[in-house]
Amino acid sequence: MKRCFGTPGIASGLVLRIFQCLFASASIAVMASSSGFSSATSFCYLIAAMGLQVLWSFGLACLDIHALRVKKDLQSQILLSLVVVGDWVTAILALAASSSSAGVMVLLERDTKYCKLDPLLSCNMFQISIAFAFIAWFLLAISSHTVFWLLASLS
Amino acid sequence: MKRCFGTPGIASGLVLRIFQCLFASASIAVMASSSGFSSATSFCYLIAAMGLQVLWSFGLACLDIHALRVKKDLQSQILLSLVVVGDWVTAILALAASSSSAGVMVLLERDTKYCKLDPLLSCNMFQISIAFAFIAWFLLAISSHTVFWLLASLS
């Protein structure tokens, strides 16, 4: 069993999944509690993508906890292939959602100065939510690369 | 020498690089020729990211042509590591730029109906440019995964 940082079934892998879950949940919570988010499709898409990431990372965290408790080796080729495909899809959707929200945010804040014109829009909250989403994506990208590396060196 | 689709130094790798270059150039050309693109930072960022992709893919296409002409094996570990890091950075920037432009486009087209209100904005051209950028990113993602797989199985 290879033991590099973030490998499924070991403690660092579990910690990575828990932090992915936490940051994605924080992103959803901040975005959903800010007023006016539903006026932009990108912000709704961010909530959906982060929701998917929470489900995915939570599922894999549960699998890691199970593996740690029964001392099971999770490094079978089929399981790693499933994890890597799921990680890719989730990571691509998360990056796309974070970037599209960031693009809209820059348009509202800098290009049109709409944030100053409409005090009902909670632009600061949007920015915090997008920052959390980028951190969640970055942690997921680390996991996905570790698993892909492991899969390639196994085959 | 491993010969899967898109490997550097073989014909399919060269074709992939040429198409990345073509789609990225087409995206820049369409965006730069459409009126009003400079009003959104995301559209300017798309041009910058696609410019970087053109330079990167063109450089690697030249390397592939050289390797094909002198029948040189490009699969050294150091060269593949450099290519994989460059591919990742370029692919992440390209996806971020395409998504942020797509987010702004949805805001202008659907959420605010600004495209109908301002006939000076060439929204159709923006959409074509973003579509080309997504295709260029997808082709780059194929290359980067192939090279990463190759590097992992070499080490």
Side-chain angles (χ1 to χ4, degrees):
Chain A
M1 181 176 168
K2 292 202 174 186
R3 283 185 161 272
C4 48
F5 179 78
T7 308
I10 68 169
S12 63
L14 174 63
V15 170
L16 216 52
R17 295 291 172 192
I18 289 172
F19 274 102
Q20 287 162 22
C21 218
L22 284 179
F23 277 106
S25 310
S27 175
I28 295 175
V30 174
M31 184 59 86
S33 63
S34 57
S35 67
F37 81 90
S38 57
S39 54
T41 310
S42 297
F43 295 154
C44 302
Y45 171 45
L46 185 78
I47 291 183
M50 287 297 115
L52 177 71
Q53 181 163 342
V54 168
L55 289 177
W56 177 251
S57 297
F58 182 73
L60 288 180
C62 291
L63 194 70
D64 281 343
I65 291 170
H66 171 73
L68 281 169
R69 283 186 65 181
V70 301
K71 298 199 193 318
K72 195 174 161 13
D73 182 8
L74 286 183
Q75 297 182 15
S76 80
Q77 218 159 353
I78 297 169
L79 188 74
L80 287 181
S81 308
L82 285 175
V83 172
V84 98
V85 171
D87 269 350
W88 279 348
V89 173
T90 322
I92 288 172
L93 290 179
L95 178 59
S98 316
S99 306
S100 68
S101 301
V104 169
M105 200 58 239
V106 171
L107 190 83
L108 294 177
E109 181 83 43
R110 274 195 50 193
D111 301 337
T112 61
K113 312 259 190 285
Y114 202 76
C115 283
K116 282 183 189 155
L117 296 174
D118 186 356
L120 282 176
L121 276 183
S122 33
C123 288
N124 287 337
M125 300 276 273
F126 296 156
Q127 286 172 8
I128 294 168
S129 167
I130 294 167
F132 281 148
F134 270 113
I135 297 171
W137 161 75
F138 182 71
L139 295 173
L140 187 61
I142 295 174
S143 280
S144 78
H145 278 108
T146 311
V147 179
F148 189 56
W149 183 268
L150 213 73
L151 182 67
S153 45
L154 276 182
S155 63
Chain B
M1 180 177 168
K2 293 202 173 187
R3 283 182 161 274
C4 50
F5 179 79
T7 309
I10 69 168
S12 64
L14 174 62
V15 170
L16 215 52
R17 295 291 173 191
I18 290 172
F19 273 102
Q20 287 163 20
C21 218
L22 284 179
F23 277 106
S25 310
S27 173
I28 295 175
V30 174
M31 184 59 86
S33 62
S34 58
S35 68
F37 81 90
S38 57
S39 54
T41 309
S42 297
F43 295 154
C44 302
Y45 171 44
L46 184 78
I47 292 185
M50 286 297 115
L52 177 71
Q53 180 163 344
V54 168
L55 289 177
W56 176 252
S57 298
F58 182 73
L60 289 180
C62 291
L63 194 70
D64 281 343
I65 291 172
H66 171 73
L68 282 169
R69 283 185 66 182
V70 300
K71 298 198 191 322
K72 195 173 165 6
D73 182 7
L74 287 183
Q75 297 182 15
S76 80
Q77 217 158 354
I78 297 170
L79 188 75
L80 286 181
S81 308
L82 285 175
V83 171
V84 97
V85 171
D87 269 351
W88 277 348
V89 173
T90 323
I92 289 172
L93 290 179
L95 178 60
S98 316
S99 306
S100 67
S101 301
V104 169
M105 200 58 241
V106 171
L107 189 85
L108 294 177
E109 181 83 43
R110 273 195 50 194
D111 300 335
T112 60
K113 312 260 190 283
Y114 202 75
C115 283
K116 282 182 187 155
L117 296 174
D118 186 356
L120 283 176
L121 277 183
S122 34
C123 288
N124 286 337
M125 299 276 273
F126 296 156
Q127 286 171 8
I128 294 169
S129 168
I130 293 166
F132 281 148
F134 270 113
I135 298 171
W137 162 75
F138 182 71
L139 296 173
L140 188 61
I142 295 174
S143 280
S144 78
H145 278 108
T146 311
V147 179
F148 189 57
W149 183 269
L150 214 73
L151 182 66
S153 46
L154 276 182
S155 62

